Amino acid sequence: MAKALELTDETLTVASSIPRAAQIGAQEPGWKQGKSTPKVEQMPLQVRLPRHEVKAIKIAAAESEQSISEFMLSCFHAFMESRKQA
């Protein structure tokens, strides 16, 4: 069990330090430490698929050594290219 903290005037007035990662301007968004190029802005996409389709997508992504996001994005681009040719 956690120890009880004695509340004093000093405890209540002293502000705890804010972690560097939580400070605004500490790090530009999209930049990783040690990298020289910015990361492409990504947004989450939620899709509902049948369980057997999800399993097949995960297996195909693993076989092609891609993340599921990369695999789905490449499938989307291939689909769009095939539509243009048709």
Side-chain angles (χ1 to χ4, degrees):
M1 185 181 246
K3 289 185 176 181
L5 177 65
E6 184 178 330
L7 297 177
T8 63
D9 288 336
E10 183 180 323
T11 307
L12 296 174
T13 57
V14 175
S16 61
S17 63
I18 299 172
R20 184 174 175 211
Q23 294 176 2
I24 296 174
Q27 201 173 16
E28 291 184 37
W31 287 81
K32 288 191 174 185
Q33 188 175 9
K35 299 257 181 171
S36 61
T37 58
K39 186 176 181 182
V40 175
E41 183 180 346
Q42 295 181 348
M43 295 182 61
L45 174 67
Q46 191 172 31
V47 181
R48 302 284 187 215
L49 299 169
R51 186 177 303 268
H52 67 280
E53 298 280 348
V54 171
K55 187 174 182 179
I57 290 169
K58 287 181 178 181
I59 291 170
E63 287 175 351
S64 65
E65 297 180 356
Q66 294 178 319
S67 68
I68 295 172
S69 295
E70 292 168 339
F71 178 77
M72 294 295 287
L73 189 59
S74 63
C75 289
F76 169 73
H77 288 299
F79 171 76
M80 294 305 287
E81 284 297 317
S82 69
R83 276 184 52 188
K84 286 181 184 177
Q85 293 174 359

